[in-house]
Amino acid sequence: IANLPVLLPSPQVDALAGRFAGGTALMVAAGPTLTRALPMIRRLAPRCPVIAVGTAVKPLLAGGIRPHLAVTLDCSPLTLPQFPDHDPLPGTWLATSAVAPPELVRRFAGRCFGYTFAGLRGFDRWLAGLGRRPRLLNVGGTVSLTAIDLAVLTGCTRIILCGLDLAMTEDGTTHARDSIYDGQTRRPDQMVMVPGNYRETVPTTPQFAGYLRQMEAYLSDLTGSRGDLCVINATDGGALLRNTTLVRPDELGPESVERPYDDI
């Protein structure tokens, strides 16, 4: 309810449907490999939209990259430090549900795209009566799934995943440098092993292992129903993510983007 004064006058995420039809999108998460993928993102960012989850915003800014879209889902005010409080991020739009922290939504007043998800049925029925029910995006554990779903909505037929490790490094590092979790590690007794992209197994948490299963189920359904869609996992580490094409970031240059985008 507190977010409605900002969200009701704002465009809904429906306005992005088909906006980048036939194009390429970069979906950026904040796994440890993001730090090494930043040069690749800088090469491609002038030619395709950068869609970042909240935890990836600060690592991108530290790398000289301003995302075109930031995606938030979590209702906890503990997520506010994901975004710089001294910088209103001009040029960046926020895709947000109504449950986001009101302080964050207010920071992006005039630059919000509202969406909803299946858990808000009662609230959505009320908004539908006002003719203001936004489009539903898929959710599943990690907000990265929602960010991918947003890229699909825009009509992109090639989605390049960056930093979507869903795993820790060998020393237990959980996230990329400059994220709000920079320097945090997990002990070996807090982790389980899952198949890796370049190693037989990599360490992750039971929670992230659950996210991985949800992501793989989503991508299986998505790629199975969309024969024109190519999902590229641009990483030099991380957990094995089935239903994607694995590529090292240094193998992708500007020529990888077949159709440059028009800005939001």
Side-chain angles (χ1 to χ4, degrees), residues 3 7 73-76 96-102 105 117 120:
N3 283 325
L7 293 181
L73 174 64
D74 202 311
C75 63
S76 171
T96 181
S97 74
V99 301
V105 175
F117 58 92
L120 300 179

Side-chain angles (χ1 to χ4, degrees), residues 5 9 56 187:
R187 302 190 310 270

Side-chain angles (χ1 to χ4, degrees), residues 196-256:
N197 285 314
Y198 300 100
R199 302 172 64 93
E200 183 176 355
T201 59
V202 292
T204 192
T205 63
Q207 181 182 26
F208 275 28
Y211 293 171
L212 182 63
R213 290 191 293 271
Q214 293 179 70
M215 181 66 73
E216 288 188 332
Y218 166 77
L219 290 172
S220 176
D221 289 344
L222 180 62
T223 56
S225 63
R226 287 281 306 274
D228 63 331
L229 185 65
C230 177
V231 182
I232 297 172
N233 191 10
T235 183
D236 60 6
L240 174 65
L241 194 56
R242 296 177 178 86
N243 304 298
T244 67
T245 299
L246 182 62
V247 176
R248 290 185 181 274
D250 57 11
E251 297 174 2
L252 294 174
E255 69 282 355
S256 304

Side-chain angles (χ1 to χ4, degrees), residues 23-25 156-160 228-232 255-258:
T24 299
C156 288
T157 52
R158 178 178 295 184
I159 301 173
I160 301 174
D228 63 331
L229 185 65
C230 177
V231 182
I232 297 172
E255 69 282 355
S256 304
V257 181
E258 297 177 351

Side-chain angles (χ1 to χ4, degrees), residues 7-148:
L7 293 181
L8 286 179
S10 298
Q12 297 176 352
V13 77
D14 310 55
L16 292 173
R19 184 69 182 83
F20 307 119
T24 299
L26 288 163
M27 195 296 297
V28 186
T33 64
L34 171 59
T35 302
R36 298 188 296 276
L38 289 174
M40 179 270 291
I41 298 173
R42 278 193 293 269
R43 290 194 300 271
L44 270 58
R47 297 176 59 84
C48 57
V50 178
I51 303 174
V53 305
T55 49
V57 168
K58 284 186 174 179
L60 285 172
L61 293 177
I65 304 159
R66 188 173 295 273
H68 303 95
L69 281 163
V71 184
T72 187
L73 174 64
D74 202 311
C75 63
S76 171
L78 296 177
T79 61
L80 286 172
Q82 294 176 358
F83 298 85
D85 54 11
H86 63 279
D87 182 355
L89 291 176
T92 298
W93 284 67
L94 182 72
T96 181
S97 74
V99 301
E103 180 181 338
L104 177 62
V105 175
R106 286 194 296 269
R107 291 184 198 175
F108 285 87
R111 288 179 293 120
C112 285
F113 292 107
Y115 72 88
T116 190
F117 58 92
L120 300 179
R121 289 187 180 91
F123 188 70
D124 287 345
R125 283 195 296 270
W126 180 67
L127 285 181
L130 302 175
R132 292 296 296 171
R133 182 187 183 277
R135 184 182 292 247
L136 182 144
L137 293 181
N138 282 300
V139 300
T142 168
V143 69
S144 296
L145 190 151
T146 305
I148 296 171

